[in-house]
Amino acid sequence: MDLLPEPIFRDTLDLLRELTATSSPSGDPEGLHRVAGRLASALRDRGLATEIQEETSPEMEEAGLPVLHARGPETSRGDRGHLLLIGHLDTVLPAAEPRIEGDRLFATGAIDMKGGLATLVGALDLLRHRGVAPPPDLLLVVVPDEEVGGSLSNRAVRRWGESARALWVLEPGEPAGDDAETIVAGRRGMFQWRLEAHGQAAHSGLHYWEGRSALAAAARWAVKAEALSSRDGGPTVNVGRLVAGDATFVDDLAASASLLGTERQLNVVPDRAVAEGETRFLRAWESDELARSLEALARDAAVETGTSVTFATSQYIPPVDPHGPQTSWTRRAVGLAAQRGWRLEVETQRGGISFPNFLPDPGRICVLDGLGPVGGGMHTREEYVDLRSLARRIVLLADLLEADTRQI
């Protein structure tokens, strides 16, 4: 704590307790506005110009949701772009009363991600204490719908990321054992897919060999598709759903649910099957290769089972290359942590989709992700932030901002 004056840490912790005590689950406009207003006030006190814009999402057409912008004095310069920091206001659960036990603050959103927002405020205080101004082109955008994969989050990243010179994400890192923590340099991309199989229904007792099982086709495909997954950092294929049976059952599941657990229609060779899922990959070229392989397996399944099988992909999300423009900055972050006496490790292939995946071109700019403090219990009533990590991350973020300022 010698590197971080006690009053700055206490002020940051008090702000975090206040933010986490304010309920702001996704879809709660009033709560989201309260958190946005409190955070805006804190950022104005640290010299940033703030604005809360009302925006409407397709998911909540009837209600305006707050998007907070906080700017340094030179974010409008067009020759270089701006340093974009991004976070979110919403939580999965409504707030519960925060409590401290030892070195942990248990609170809703403690790490995901009100902890990251409070860390930025603490880092600005630490910079002021050092007599250093933050980067003049700093732009913080805080969105209200990240936890529900909302359109406002995606829109903000695309809009402000297009002209950014770098993107820093205040989502949490991860504990890494032996008193170490991580930041994130790479994230896997994703595409979703849907497989449909059509066979020939038949009485399974009287005319079994005249039937063509759509279920067998989809099941064969699913086993071979998941076998394409690789444990060594390669792609993964997940079959999330497989529904099969008589066409009337599959095409109207709500009406047919009562069949489950009964003997009805078990004597029918299933003529309809639908499988849905996703693939994840670290390198952009793996996406096309996976799609071609999965489509080829669909053709093989059709031939092997005498059925008709179609395969289609949707919702392509690009990966963030861990060896992109951020390489020098991830090394710098590791070095800054080491100078302060702790170990920072670099994640090269985090699996979850996050803000950087929605950049117009994730490989164009420096992406520093996972800058927020670590803890555990994310999205549960036992979510907590490690207070030692909170202190470390305040210092690390201040060090990074100072390094960025000196580089401009």
Side-chain angles (χ1 to χ4, degrees):
M1 198 71 76
D2 293 341
L3 303 172
L4 179 63
E6 183 71 20
I8 293 178
F9 178 75
R10 286 296 158 193
D11 286 347
T12 305
L13 180 56
D14 288 346
L15 175 63
L16 179 54
R17 293 185 71 163
E18 186 177 351
L19 293 176
T20 56
T22 304
S23 192
S24 59
S26 307
D28 177 5
E30 291 184 5
L32 291 164
H33 275 283
R34 285 193 294 270
V35 174
R38 179 64 185 95
L39 183 59
S41 175
L43 294 166
R44 279 195 303 271
D45 291 343
R46 274 80 180 171
L48 299 181
T50 64
E51 177 186 12
I52 298 175
Q53 295 183 352
E54 295 273 346
E55 297 193 23
T56 302
S57 71
E59 296 87 358
M60 293 190 63
E61 295 180 358
E62 75 285 357
L65 299 178
V67 178
L68 169 62
H69 300 84
R71 295 177 169 86
E74 297 183 15
T75 56
S76 60
R77 286 183 57 176
D79 58 337
R80 183 183 61 224
H82 49 263
L83 171 61
L84 176 62
L85 275 70
I86 199 152
H88 62 88
L89 301 162
D90 59 323
T91 59
V92 171
L93 301 174
E97 185 65 25
R99 71 184 192 276
I100 292 179
E101 296 182 6
D103 289 328
R104 296 178 175 182
L105 170 67
F106 290 84
T108 309
I111 54 172
D112 190 22
M113 61 158 292
K114 293 176 179 179
L117 298 173
T119 295
L120 174 61
V121 175
L124 294 174
D125 282 343
L126 184 54
L127 287 178
R128 178 182 293 178
H129 174 77
R130 296 174 179 175
V132 176
D137 61 352
L138 185 151
L139 170 62
L140 171 69
V141 179
V142 189
V143 295
D145 61 350
E146 189 273 346
E147 294 293 2
V148 291
S151 58
L152 298 184
S153 298
N154 298 350
R155 185 192 309 168
V157 173
R158 290 189 176 94
R159 177 184 176 186
W160 299 108
E162 187 172 13
S163 55
R165 61 179 174 84
L167 170 64
W168 294 6
V169 184
L170 299 173
E171 290 276 22
E174 288 284 335
D178 297 327
D179 209 29
E181 302 176 9
T182 73
I183 57 171
V184 180
R187 283 188 180 268
R188 289 174 171 266
M190 179 188 78
F191 68 77
Q192 295 177 346
W193 51 260
R194 178 181 174 92
L195 181 98
E196 296 190 24
H198 295 263
Q200 176 62 53
H203 191 291
S204 62
L206 299 176
H207 306 293
Y208 175 82
W209 296 109
E210 296 176 15
R212 296 291 181 268
S213 174
L215 190 158
R220 284 191 188 205
W221 181 91
V223 170
K224 293 179 179 179
E226 292 207 342
L228 297 176
S229 300
S230 174
R231 290 182 179 272
D232 61 357
T236 58
V237 180
N238 181 58
V239 180
R241 283 188 288 269
L242 174 56
V243 181
D246 176 82
T248 58
F249 172 78
V250 175
D251 293 339
D252 194 352
L253 289 173
S256 305
S258 61
L259 290 176
L260 296 175
T262 74
E263 297 180 359
R264 295 160 55 198
Q265 295 189 8
L266 295 183
N267 61 346
V268 178
V269 175
D271 62 339
R272 183 86 163 91
V274 175
E276 296 175 331
E278 62 171 34
T279 68
R280 306 232 176 188
F281 46 89
L282 187 59
R283 292 160 285 271
W285 60 265
E286 290 177 323
S287 170
D288 292 339
E289 186 174 282
L290 276 170
R292 287 193 296 269
S293 297
L294 294 171
E295 191 168 8
L297 289 178
R299 292 193 296 269
D300 292 345
V303 171
E304 292 167 359
T305 58
T307 59
S308 171
V309 182
T310 59
F311 174 80
T313 65
S314 64
Q315 197 184 6
Y316 171 80
I317 297 174
V320 179
D321 184 351
H323 306 297
Q326 62 266 29
T327 303
S328 63
W329 274 94
T330 54
R331 285 199 299 262
R332 181 173 296 185
V334 169
L336 288 169
Q339 291 173 24
R340 303 302 192 182
W342 60 286
R343 193 170 86 253
L344 186 64
E345 298 182 356
V346 180
E347 291 185 57
T348 59
Q349 52 173 314
R350 184 174 284 195
I353 300 300
S354 186
F355 293 114
N357 296 95
F358 297 105
L359 286 167
D361 179 2
R364 182 185 69 83
I365 62 175
C366 166
V367 176
L368 279 183
D369 195 353
L371 291 172
V374 309
M378 186 183 295
H379 297 177
T380 75
R381 283 298 176 204
E382 293 302 306
E383 181 172 348
Y384 70 89
V385 62
D386 184 319
L387 297 182
R388 297 168 302 170
S389 177
L390 178 63
R392 287 172 175 171
R393 296 294 175 139
I394 293 170
V395 176
L396 176 64
L397 186 53
D399 287 346
L400 288 167
L401 289 169
E402 182 173 352
D404 185 83
T405 298
R406 297 189 187 284
Q407 181 171 292
I408 294 176

